[in-house]
Amino acid sequence: MTSPVLSLRRAIIDAASADAELRALMGGTLRLYDEPPRGAEPVYALFGDVRAEDWSTDLDRGHAQSVDIVIWSEKGGARTALMAADRFFAILDDAPLVLDGHRLVNLRVTELASARDKDSGLARVTLRLRAVTEVAG
């Protein structure tokens, strides 16, 4: 069985990759990573914290997931990261994503937060998603 977390990540990448406006904001290609590549220049995004909890019923096995996507801005302001976060929001909130081995019951953006990193001085915007999935049978 495919992990619900990995299946959701793959579906997020697929949906985000198809959005020309998001790709343009990130320099022409989707730059969504598990870890920042060495020497990566913003704007890029990372999969942040994830939490998956059992959400099973008597009839179906399922999971509730909390997933963070963290977008790093260009130097000098949070504008580019906020614009990219807006695109992720438009692409993902209530999206009918197709998951491998799972059915997506719902996907909502539940929070957007912006902060400045003390070490680099870059702004980062965190988009928190909540997904409920069921194991496909």
Side-chain angles (χ1 to χ4, degrees), residues 56-134:
S56 298
T57 66
D58 290 341
L59 302 174
D60 295 301
R61 286 196 56 220
H63 299 87
Q65 297 182 50
S66 175
V67 179
D68 289 351
I69 296 176
V70 182
I71 302 109
W72 291 87
S73 75
E74 296 173 328
K75 290 188 189 268
R79 185 174 190 275
T80 53
L82 287 166
M83 291 171 63
D86 282 346
R87 285 308 308 152
F88 274 111
F89 189 112
I91 295 161
L92 298 174
D93 191 57
D94 207 25
L97 303 181
V98 177
L99 280 63
D100 181 30
H102 301 267
R103 284 185 307 278
L104 183 62
V105 176
N106 68 16
L107 176 63
R108 300 299 299 190
V109 175
T110 61
E111 184 179 359
L112 184 147
S114 180
R116 187 153 310 276
D117 182 68
K118 290 179 238 165
D119 296 329
S120 68
L122 297 175
R124 69 179 183 276
V125 177
T126 302
L127 202 63
R128 178 155 296 145
L129 310 170
R130 182 178 187 280
V132 176
T133 60
E134 294 175 340

